[in-house]
Amino acid sequence: QKASIYFFLYTLAGSLLTLLGVIALVVVHYRYSPDHVLTFSIPELTDGLKRLTWSRWHEVGLWSSPQTLIFLLLFAGFAIKVPMFPFHTWLPLAHVEAPTAGSILLAGVLLKVGSYGLVRFNLGMTPLGAVALFPLLATLAVVGIIYGALVALSQSDMKRLVAYSSVSHMGFIVLGLFALNSTGL
């Protein structure tokens, strides 16, 4: 019961923040695009946001840039799905309580959805937010790599070992994504 509540609350909170981020992207695109097109199409939004003439959209600022603020909204949900340190606490509980097949689906599929979202939304639509927050993102990824590996070493339960090693492995993926170069990507 505790695992399901953690999973539900983390997923709900992250999904709501990501939904707000997507709505913000749609509103920015609608408001500042030359044609004022209202669309939820990912390719159209990605292309349209790159071509915006709104000067504030192209600012590189730590917290004041619209891209950075929207990046954080999107990142909240995807960081939970990845799961990235410190948003990972739902994962060990879910792995332990899930049947083996469910645990494999968690490690093999669900966690990768978060990294896909980071590539498609965060890097694709708000790249200047990634640039502004690079030091924080890289630090969290490295902490997740080391923390996940060290905690995995001390586990006697195989499912908890898989959970914490997944935190460590996904830290490598996030670090590669936010290295902001083609090799990392």
Side-chain angles (χ1 to χ4, degrees):
Q1 189 175 12
K2 182 180 177 183
S4 64
I5 290 171
Y6 265 68
F7 181 72
F8 174 76
L9 290 177
Y10 268 80
T11 302
L12 176 67
S15 297
L16 287 175
L17 290 170
T18 299
L19 178 62
L20 287 174
V22 170
I23 291 170
L25 287 171
V26 169
V27 168
V28 165
H29 180 264
Y30 174 73
R31 173 82 170 85
Y32 296 104
S33 66
D35 302 332
H36 298 291
V37 177
L38 183 62
T39 181
F40 282 88
S41 166
I42 294 173
E44 286 180 36
L45 279 173
T46 303
D47 290 339
L49 291 168
K50 286 178 189 172
R51 291 184 274 116
L52 283 184
T53 56
W54 183 35
S55 61
R56 289 234 353 150
W57 184 251
H58 301 287
E59 285 180 354
V60 179
L62 187 56
W63 300 104
S64 62
S65 166
Q67 277 200 44
T68 304
L69 296 173
I70 294 173
F71 179 94
L72 286 169
L73 287 172
L74 296 168
F75 179 75
F78 297 132
I80 289 169
K81 288 281 186 241
V82 165
M84 194 172 165
F85 178 87
F87 308 103
H88 70 287
T89 56
W90 65 270
L91 185 66
L93 296 171
H95 265 291
V96 169
E97 296 301 326
T100 303
S103 187
I104 297 303
L105 281 174
L106 272 174
V109 177
L110 182 67
L111 306 185
K112 282 39 171 200
V113 170
S115 59
Y116 172 77
L118 290 172
V119 171
R120 188 71 183 215
F121 288 87
N122 287 81
L123 292 175
M125 296 186 193
T126 58
L128 296 179
V131 170
L133 297 173
F134 169 75
L136 173 66
L137 300 170
T139 301
L140 288 176
V142 170
V143 169
I145 292 166
I146 295 168
Y147 169 79
L150 291 175
V151 175
L153 281 172
S154 68
Q155 297 306 310
S156 57
D157 182 332
M158 186 59 73
K159 287 183 180 179
R160 288 182 73 83
L161 176 109
V162 169
Y164 284 108
S165 66
S166 293
V167 171
S168 182
H169 294 155
M170 294 307 291
F172 278 105
I173 290 172
V174 170
L175 184 60
L177 293 178
F178 292 117
L180 303 177
N181 61 45
S182 59
T183 304
L185 201 58

